[in-house]
Amino acid sequence: MAGRKRSFWIRRIVRTLVTAFGVSLVAFLILHLTPGDPAKIMLGPYASEAAYEAIRERYHLNEPLPLQYLYWISGVFRGDLGDSIRYNRPVLELIKDRIGPTLALMGSALFISITLGIFLGIVAAIKRNTPIDYFATFQAVFWLSIPPFWLGILFLYIFGLQLRWVPIGGMVGFTSLIFPALTIGLRDEAWFARPMRAEMLEVLNQDYIKAVKAKGLKYSSVIVKHALRNALIPMITMIALRLPWVIGGSVVVEVVFSWGGLGSFLVSSVLARDYPVVQAILLLIAMLVVVANLVADLLYSVIDPRIRKES
Amino acid sequence: MSDRDQALLDEAVKDIARLKKQRSSQLYLVWLRFKKNRLALVGFIMVCIVLFVAAFAPLLTPYDPYETDPFNRLKAPSRDHWLGTDELGRDVLTRLLYGTRIALLIGVLIVLFEGTIGISLGIFSGFFGGVIDSIVMRLVDVLRSFPVIILAMAIAGIMGQGIMNVIIAMGIVGWTTYARMVRSKILSIKESDYVEAARSIGESKASIILRYILPNTLPTAIVMVCIMMPTALIASSTLSFLGVGVQPPTADWGSMISAGRDYLLDAPWISTSAGLAIMFTVLGFNFIGDGLRDALDPTIKRA
């Protein structure tokens, strides 16, 4: 048993390392996707020859590609993510300034989506095939059909411009966090409500639930103590799998609400062709997802030992 | 030919006819199951409306979507302009109607492009297994670590603005879902008795793929395409909104929302109506996708 457990962990970690390597390759190759001189792509066509040469020197653009990658990735390990072309400052510093607001926004959005999604999923499963269930299903499709940036604009229009409850974008206190977080959270809740309903229904069909019911346990404690606990376990993986979508949504919503985080910074950097910044943020986001997936899988295998036997 | 031979021949002809009938009745069964789902039917009607508008846009409006009118800028909805005018005096409703064409064109092309890549890689990966499978699945792992919209934005941003680049960027990023679904479907088909039987009577690999595996992956592929259409529509409008997608003055819903954002206080109808148009279309496809999934292949979980 112990051997099997260890081999599962080792295989999972090796797979993660391979994925991490691939992720770094993609982030690196982004700049080399289009034919043409990367120095010209970064600085635009009208810079001086000396400036081009300086850029080539700084990022070793005259070396062959594999060597360029090695220079870049060894820089990453030393904490050198290059310099922003727009700001002429180390990328790492710029990211440090902006990561706080993004984490605050994503944290609140995740909190909203997970609690709401799990709650609606449970209610839908318990009240299966009733109007409540249909409503829960319908509202999930409804939120998933709304472009997140448009929902943000609607919130801004109604609660910022018309009712003047909250500031129109920017980051001024707690009130400005509410609607960006709601915009992401309401949509992403739909990702969690459905699988939660399915898990809950599956668990409720198990023999041990019938057994505790037959034992005469109170219905609420059947749900909470026995069903919910087991239905929640697969949600760990679900949340990790959905993380990229949550991050993707928050990038767009940051732009709508002029939220000074990594997302709006990434978008403005793409538009300004500030590639060292784009590469660094892409790498950071993808690594976060890779690590989250690893943690979720390992956590899952600790909580639910059946998974190790199957794989 | 003896009577007995003739009788056998008749029997065979009847059998073939029965088989043909069975096949068409299976389609009929799918339709019955689809029809039973009322939301799916509603979605079907919604998408038909969108298709109708896209086909007959010029007949539905007296205005031109690109003709500016400096004297009628940001006019509120009226009898002449049902949804008002935008910042250049163009009729908003007209631009919405023409926008269905752009939206559907981009959506369909994205889905076709990413679907072709994903489904063929999924088939290869699932059928041949081994090294090919490992490589494809690791590639899927890597791409799925990036939020679709972010990677597509970065790629489209580098390649430069325009419809073609949006489609290419989404294709490079979005195929992984198809590949995973099709691969897992093929793995289960490979285990099935009828493939085992075909193998045991010595059918070739090519014939097994063509005669048994491909036809049985078809429902999965169809459902995938319907389920992915909403994602493609929202992603492409998001890219336009962020400024890396379709560029003005093209009558595109995403860029209309983006442009209307600057006039939200004076002319809220621009952004709101364009958003409603996206929502209507996406909702329609979502309803169809759900209905088709339940009717054709209930084993697919929602992507």
Side-chain angles (χ1 to χ4, degrees), chain A residues 264-283:
Chain A
S264 48
F265 186 44
L266 174 66
V267 173
S268 66
S269 300
V270 166
L271 293 175
R273 310 203 145 222
D274 195 349
Y275 286 112
V277 176
V278 176
Q279 286 179 316
I281 298 181
L282 278 179
L283 183 69

Side-chain angles (χ1 to χ4, degrees), chain A residues 37-270:
Chain A
D37 185 353
K40 290 211 165 128
I41 296 177
M42 285 201 264
L43 292 181
Y46 307 114
S48 70
E49 199 45 52
Y52 288 138
E53 211 35 63
I55 275 284
R56 287 192 195 110
E57 197 64 32
R58 171 75 175 84
Y59 296 107
H60 311 281
L61 295 176
N62 290 326
E63 311 281 353
L65 263 187
L67 215 57
Q68 283 186 41
Y69 172 75
L70 285 181
Y71 276 118
W72 180 71
I73 200 73
S74 66
V76 170
F77 279 116
R78 287 193 319 263
D80 170 23
L81 291 164
D83 296 319
S84 158
I85 292 163
R86 264 193 305 171
Y87 297 93
N88 210 4
R89 279 176 56 197
V91 174
L92 198 62
E93 269 180 36
L94 295 166
I95 289 181
K96 270 185 195 155
D97 291 347
R98 289 163 177 81
I99 200 159
T102 293
L103 288 180
L105 178 58
M106 260 178 47
S108 357
L110 264 178
F111 177 76
I112 294 174
S113 58
I114 293 173
T115 44
L116 207 60
I118 287 180
F119 173 75
L120 284 169
I122 296 170
V123 172
I126 298 175
K127 305 275 177 200
R128 182 155 60 132
N129 294 335
T130 65
I132 299 176
D133 181 20
Y134 298 142
F135 169 77
T137 309
F138 180 80
Q139 63 90 31
V141 184
F142 177 80
W143 293 118
L144 288 178
S145 300
I146 299 183
F149 60 96
W150 182 65
L151 185 63
I153 291 177
L154 272 192
F155 279 150
L156 267 186
Y157 176 67
I158 298 171
F159 299 101
L161 286 174
Q162 293 299 328
L163 299 172
R164 297 184 184 277
W165 288 359
V166 289
I168 315 159
M171 299 186 288
V172 240
F174 178 70
T175 46
S176 54
L177 178 65
I178 299 173
F179 286 102
L182 263 183
T183 309
I184 309 166
L186 282 177
R187 178 181 164 82
D188 294 342
E189 156 267 309
W191 299 120
F192 302 130
R194 273 193 197 213
M196 186 65 210
R197 175 182 180 273
E199 286 303 336
M200 199 67 188
L201 282 179
E202 183 152 344
V203 172
L204 285 175
N205 264 332
Q206 302 281 330
D207 286 340
Y208 62 83
I209 292 292
K210 286 180 197 144
V212 286
K213 265 191 197 162
K215 207 171 73 176
L217 214 56
K218 240 172 53 193
Y219 189 61
S220 59
S221 62
V222 172
I223 296 294
V224 176
K225 272 201 186 145
H226 296 274
L228 185 56
R229 260 196 204 168
N230 288 294
L232 276 177
I233 298 173
M235 291 306 287
I236 300 170
T237 323
M238 197 62 218
I239 292 166
L241 278 179
R242 279 293 157 209
L243 196 62
W245 295 87
V246 178
I247 298 173
S250 70
V251 165
V252 184
V253 170
E254 276 191 16
V255 174
V256 173
F257 287 91
S258 322
W259 193 257
L262 278 184
S264 48
F265 186 44
L266 174 66
V267 173
S268 66
S269 300
V270 166

Side-chain angles (χ1 to χ4, degrees), chain B residues 265-283:
Chain B
L265 197 56
D266 303 317
W269 49 85
I270 307 173
S271 280
T272 36
S273 58
L276 282 176
I278 298 180
M279 208 179 121
F280 184 83
T281 313
V282 170
L283 211 53

